[in-house]
Amino acid sequence: MSPSVASPAQTVPAARRALPGAPFLAAARGERPAHTPVWFMRQAGRSLPEYRALREGTSMFDACFDPEMLAEITLQPIRRHGVDAAILFSDIVVPLKAAGLDIDIVAGTGPVVAEPIRDAAGVRALPVLDPEQVERVADGVRLLVGSLGETPLIGFAGAPFTLASYLIEGGPSRNHEHTKALMHSEPRLWHELAGRLADMAITFLSAQLDAGADAIQLFDSWAGALSERDYREFVLPHSAKVLSAVAGYGVPRIHFGVGTGELLVAMRDAGADVVGVDWRLPLDEAVRRLGGGVVQGNLDPALLHASWPVLEAEVRRIHAEGRAADGHIFNLGHGVLPGVDPDVLTRVVGLVHELQV
């Protein structure tokens, strides 16, 4: 059953909401709620016709900095699918844009940086993010926590490695050659850059948490390009800095990357309460590697295009594998693809909620 959701113009509560009955938060604590919670990465976005209608004529960044619009977009999948958590409509490069970097989100490509940062001068010119620069995002969070009822809100940020990769490569990269070259050739400069980006992520997450977000997810989308040795040396200290800085809020901290099956233990060691698993590794194997704990995942998003019998079998398999964990949050192994039929997502939510915990 879909939760009732009020208008995003409601009065905002002064303190963080108490949500004792939220299955998402219970599972994140390693408990067994009445049903397995489910939400989808990129659940708010191009798969929804109401999103496309609302966004028509509005750039991605304009939408991300418009409190009413970002709140409405965040609410759309809650109304339609009845998922157990909302995730803030934003983008991992929003704090870079807010700080004043010349960056754009190009349709069909992703974030593109006008002047890649590949030397000491570029690193030292990187601006510091002021909380006031993301205040409109925080305003959107405040609208949401006043509108979501009993549904938790997940805030998020990009992890230092993934943000650095965009800045160094100038955009999405298949091989991350410039990033890896700088990392190994100039480790001091790398750590300076990653440290600055960690500070930026902390500021962005803190703004969302101060406004009332109920959980956070740190996306290290490109960390799967690294060996575990490189991850532990060059990346883990900076992701740990971010996750440690928000530990005092007492909310679940989810850590997710793509192609990170060999890094799951290291990502957990960075300070994650919940480890996101992509579709390449069975959940029960992920739990074995982690030695227990709480996992999130991990339906292959491409299978949302398969026939219902095929998709149903996959959902049931993943749900069964998730029982090996102390807590399981059902999700995709990456984000919803743009061409997915929204009714399929709604049907998946219904099935997950019906399955025995």
Side-chain angles (χ1 to χ4, degrees), residues 171-219:
S173 172
R174 179 167 298 184
N175 299 310
H176 307 275
E177 58 267 32
H178 297 294
T179 305
K180 292 181 178 182
L182 188 147
M183 182 186 288
H184 285 272
S185 302
E186 300 187 67
R188 282 191 179 181
L189 185 61
W190 164 262
H191 285 296
E192 182 178 350
L193 172 60
R196 288 170 179 254
L197 292 172
D199 291 338
M200 195 174 290
I202 291 166
T203 299
F204 191 44
L205 287 174
S206 297
Q208 296 170 59
L209 289 162
D210 288 339
D214 305 293
I216 62 99
Q217 178 155 310
L218 189 65
F219 282 89

Side-chain angles (χ1 to χ4, degrees), residues 144-165:
L144 281 162
V145 298
S147 305
L148 278 166
E150 297 299 307
T151 303
L153 174 66
I154 305 167
F156 75 89
F161 172 77
T162 291
L163 293 180
S165 181

Side-chain angles (χ1 to χ4, degrees), residues 56-77:
E56 188 173 2
T58 303
S59 73
M60 179 65 176
F61 279 131
D62 285 345
C64 289
F65 287 104
D66 182 323
E68 289 77 17
M69 183 174 285
L70 75 84
E72 170 59 24
I73 293 170
T74 303
L75 289 166
Q76 287 175 347

Side-chain angles (χ1 to χ4, degrees), residues 299 303-304 308-321 328 330 347-349 351-353 355:
L299 178 68
L303 293 182
L304 294 170
W308 177 252
V310 169
L311 180 55
E312 179 182 5
E314 285 296 296
V315 171
R316 290 181 181 274
R317 176 185 62 79
I318 290 163
H319 185 271
E321 290 170 353
H328 175 211
F330 194 98
R347 197 171 179 184
V348 169
V349 173
L351 175 57
V352 173
H353 284 174
L355 295 175

